[in-house]
Amino acid sequence: MLDYRTHSVALDAFIGHLAELDDPQTADLRDEHVRDASRARGMAVLGSLVDHLLRHANSDGAELDIIERAAALWQKGITLYSTLGEFRQRLEEAVNDPSSVDALRALNAATAALQPLAVDVLNQLDSVDQLRADVSAFPHLPPHPRQDDLRTDDWDWGNYFLARRTDAFTRAVRQLAHDQSTSAFALGVLSSYGANACGSAYLGRVVGGPRRGHRRRDRLASYAVGTWFAERGATSLPKTLEQLKAEAPEELPKPIADLIRQAIDHTYDRGKRPDLPDLPLGYRRLLRHLELISGFALPPQPSVPIDPFLTRLHGDPAHPFVPAMPPSTGLTEAGVPGGSGGSSGGVVPQNHGTDDGPSHAEDPNSTEVKCGAFWEALGESLVFLLGGWFACAVKWANGDRCPLWDDLVHNWERAFPGGIAGAVEITGSEHSPLTSDDLSNLAKSDQVVHLIGDLFHLQVQSWEALNKAVDYLAVFGLIYPDGLLGQWRYGQHLRTRETGDGVWPQLPETSQGWHEYPETGTEEPANNDRLYPDHAAPDVFITGAGELAVLTAPALSAEIWRQMAIGELEANNLDLDADRGAAHPCWATGGSINDQPLAVDVLDYDQG
């Protein structure tokens, strides 16, 4: 199943292809349908996402639930990062100009905003731990019913729709369309048909087998391809959401719901499948899913401290700045700034878009431990560091050195003999606003300069923690790997592999190493029809392969549109998972899905 972004690319390409279709016999109807799609853009977009609509309508809601939880924690992380940055900025400005009343007021406000967050941060670790455990169990990607040998009567509508009477449904929607809105929707459904048939063939090639046998790797590939298109100008998720809401802000329009139900009645044997998908629920979930996965954008990297602090901290190579992070947290190792946190020297944040992380052989499950340890280290460092600020600010304001801060730099155990609990107690205590006189004295302390360096280092680590969280959610197929395509595990899906005859499709993935190209053995009978050339980029199924003739989504959709326009029926119901290879008709197993060789019974056009 293709992702949202790729569907939007396919829709635009199909409409463009259709508009240029040179056929005097169908020109008037062509212009009318293209015009409908332009004037009711939101409904055309919804039609192109009909597979996602049906999936959400008949799912158990597990994916939406887990992303809701991830989004809530993500927002807490973003709030913490921005509040920490605001506090550091205000501290630098106030210390740099102690006479500024505005700077003093801003520092006190930033302190007040940061204090409750510092106390709360460690309380979130249990939620983070639970989320990691739940995500790694893949509740959002349940096994395919075909792979479980279930009768099609027991399939969910999302999977059933992709595997049975697919061309017939597309034609029924067009036949039943009766106004501008439903006509636009029908054009979108036709785009979805061509996009899934061709795009799934591409995904099967880079994944190593069909979605039913490689559901986790298929999701990884699908979202990587969507990110690839996004980097080349695909409609953004917020824009897609805006287009949908422009015509249907909250609820699925009744004419569209009626159209889908009528098309189902015309296409499928309702005696075998009496229950209809809950389309209004599916639409609400679709909107919410788009909204949630749009919200995981990384914030800007932190700016370096202003001068004179940057020079005082890093201007003497003979005496490099060493962050006062507790060694136990792993954010600094052997006194080297950055340590396992990943930043070079604790000065400039590093974007992890290149594969400096797990090797090809490392299972993504191992990132669960690393990511968790890093977040825990970050939380402990934040509490310790701000515990030092709240405890020492009074002494600095009185013009005194703070022995506690010297202990923080050299001996964490002596500074806080009660460990995290002691730091939390100090951080959570009342902190009186600073006065102008307090600020003048505080600005003279070299310990405050060190604090500024530590805050910057902590903000760098916070940014990298957010980066790690994005990577973690992306590798488990919950969000797009935006900014991460340089990593091998995403980038491997952006070129078709060189595959010899008789090695596709690979048998179902194992739980270990699911992110790697499978070497599980060939599911017989093998399919040697390689529709797309070796080393082809994802747009091969949209724009073609140069002089080499290949089947593209716009061309496939346009041909079916032409047949419908002149009343022809020369087509198969294509399996929209490309389950047995490119342009393969819908099929059923003659025995068990685990038989070798597999009995592949191609279905007649009227068989459902």
Side-chain angles (χ1 to χ4, degrees):
M1 177 186 292
L2 295 193
D3 71 287
Y4 296 123
R5 290 165 166 172
T6 306
H7 269 309
S8 74
V9 171
L11 177 63
D12 290 339
F14 168 50
I15 293 175
H17 188 97
L18 186 61
E20 296 175 358
L21 197 64
D22 187 13
D23 183 359
Q25 184 180 0
T26 60
D28 290 343
L29 186 61
R30 173 204 65 197
D31 292 344
E32 177 186 339
H33 287 178
V34 170
R35 189 164 52 246
D36 290 340
S38 175
R39 293 176 176 175
R41 174 68 182 186
M43 291 303 96
V45 170
L46 180 58
S48 73
L49 301 178
V50 64
D51 51 348
H52 289 271
L53 175 66
L54 290 172
R55 178 175 69 90
H56 283 299
N58 203 202
S59 76
D60 60 5
E63 180 163 10
L64 201 60
D65 175 70
I66 207 163
I67 295 180
E68 289 273 10
R69 292 164 53 198
L73 287 171
W74 173 263
Q75 191 54 53
K76 286 180 179 293
I78 291 293
T79 300
L80 174 62
Y81 174 78
S82 60
T83 306
L84 181 63
E86 176 75 7
F87 173 71
R88 179 174 71 86
Q89 178 185 349
R90 298 311 177 191
L91 179 61
E92 290 177 17
E93 292 172 348
V95 172
N96 193 45
D97 185 7
S99 65
S100 171
V101 176
D102 289 340
L104 174 63
R105 186 182 299 113
L107 174 59
N108 282 327
T111 301
L114 186 62
Q115 191 165 4
L117 288 177
V119 176
D120 183 59
V121 65
L122 288 180
N123 294 335
Q124 303 302 322
L125 291 180
D126 287 344
S127 297
V128 172
D129 288 343
Q130 187 60 56
L131 178 67
R132 288 199 311 272
D134 292 344
V135 165
S136 62
F138 286 97
H140 51 294
L141 294 177
H144 195 292
R146 192 199 296 272
Q147 203 64 39
D148 278 348
D149 269 334
L150 297 182
R151 299 180 313 154
T152 52
D153 297 358
D154 298 323
W155 289 22
D156 61 279
W157 272 102
N159 284 303
Y160 187 75
F161 167 75
L162 295 172
R164 291 292 185 274
R165 300 272 285 151
T166 52
D167 179 270
F169 178 86
T170 300
R171 292 173 187 262
V173 172
R174 168 48 65 188
Q175 179 184 353
L176 294 164
H178 54 81
D179 60 11
Q180 178 178 280
S181 179
T182 53
S183 174
F185 180 81
L187 204 68
V189 170
L190 182 51
S191 173
S192 179
Y193 179 82
N196 272 318
C198 296
S200 292
Y202 176 88
L203 290 178
R205 178 78 176 276
V206 298
V207 166
R211 180 172 64 92
R212 63 173 166 84
H214 305 270
R215 68 188 192 278
R216 293 175 286 193
R217 184 170 163 82
D218 181 88
R219 173 63 72 85
L220 196 64
S222 176
Y223 275 19
V225 167
T227 293
W228 188 90
F229 278 115
E231 290 182 353
R232 287 153 181 81
T235 302
S236 69
L237 298 182
K239 182 63 176 180
T240 296
L241 186 62
E242 177 186 324
Q243 291 171 336
L244 291 171
K245 286 189 171 184
E247 295 180 58
E250 296 179 358
E251 297 294 332
L252 182 67
K254 186 177 184 300
I256 299 297
D258 290 343
L259 174 63
I260 297 173
R261 294 188 186 105
Q262 291 166 15
I264 288 174
D265 285 339
H266 276 67
T267 307
Y268 303 109
D269 184 349
R270 291 295 309 286
K272 293 182 178 179
R273 298 190 64 87
D275 295 331
L276 286 170
D278 189 338
L279 297 173
L281 174 63
Y283 185 68
R284 292 193 296 272
R285 284 176 170 174
L286 175 65
L287 295 182
R288 184 59 177 156
H289 189 236
L290 280 167
E291 181 181 11
L292 287 170
I293 64 175
S294 299
F296 288 89
L298 279 170
Q301 298 180 11
S303 59
V304 297
I306 63 174
D307 267 328
F309 308 115
L310 182 63
T311 300
R312 291 177 65 182
L313 289 165
H314 300 285
D316 184 359
H319 298 89
F321 169 74
V322 177
M325 297 294 180
S328 62
T329 67
L331 291 183
T332 182
E333 294 176 353
V336 178
S340 62
S343 288
S344 174
V347 177
V348 181
Q350 304 283 305
N351 189 321
H352 286 275
T354 56
D355 192 13
D356 58 353
S359 68
H360 294 198
E362 184 178 18
D363 194 297
N365 286 290
S366 66
T367 67
E368 180 179 344
V369 176
K370 294 180 179 180
C371 179
F374 188 81
W375 274 98
E376 183 174 4
L378 189 67
E380 291 185 3
S381 293
L382 175 69
V383 172
F384 272 112
L385 200 58
L386 295 179
W389 159 250
F390 290 115
C392 290
V394 173
K395 289 188 175 296
W396 290 330
N398 290 329
D400 300 325
R401 287 189 65 81
C402 180
L404 176 64
W405 189 262
D406 288 329
D407 285 343
L408 289 177
V409 175
H410 301 294
N411 191 327
W412 280 93
E413 289 76 11
R414 186 168 62 190
F416 290 119
I420 290 295
V424 168
E425 182 179 349
I426 293 177
T427 305
S429 62
E430 289 296 323
H431 181 73
S432 300
L434 297 171
T435 67
S436 296
D437 290 340
D438 294 335
L439 187 58
S440 296
N441 290 330
L442 186 146
K444 301 172 185 177
S445 173
D446 62 316
Q447 293 178 318
V448 173
V449 176
H450 199 288
L451 171 63
I452 289 171
D454 277 313
L455 290 171
F456 170 64
H457 182 72
L458 186 61
Q459 196 184 4
V460 169
Q461 303 300 341
S462 299
W463 187 89
E464 295 209 9
L466 293 170
N467 198 314
K468 289 175 184 289
V470 166
D471 190 11
Y472 181 77
L473 295 174
V475 77
F476 283 95
L478 280 167
I479 64 174
Y480 284 93
D482 292 344
L484 299 174
L485 292 186
Q487 287 195 23
W488 166 84
R489 58 187 173 207
Y490 307 110
Q492 62 175 310
H493 304 107
L494 305 180
R495 288 289 186 274
T496 51
R497 295 172 61 94
E498 294 183 19
T499 54
D501 292 343
V503 297
W504 194 95
Q506 288 288 295
L507 288 165
E509 65 187 30
T510 60
S511 58
Q512 189 73 19
W514 54 264
H515 61 299
E516 298 182 314
Y517 192 87
E519 296 181 358
T520 47
T522 306
E523 179 183 85
E524 300 292 346
N527 186 309
N528 298 322
D529 179 18
R530 296 190 294 278
L531 175 62
Y532 302 118
D534 295 340
H535 310 297
D539 59 349
V540 67
F541 64 87
I542 300 292
T543 61
E547 296 180 358
L548 180 64
V550 299
L551 182 64
T552 66
L556 175 58
S557 296
E559 171 57 21
I560 297 173
W561 181 91
R562 187 194 66 80
Q563 290 183 23
M564 289 190 289
I566 63 176
E568 284 186 358
L569 177 57
E570 296 181 4
N572 289 311
N573 291 303
L574 297 184
D575 188 311
L576 298 188
D577 273 320
D579 202 286
R580 291 293 306 167
H584 194 284
C586 296
W587 64 286
T589 55
S592 170
I593 194 69
N594 297 309
D595 289 343
Q596 283 281 74
L598 182 66
V600 179
D601 294 343
V602 173
L603 300 176
D604 294 336
Y605 191 85
D606 293 329
Q607 282 184 280

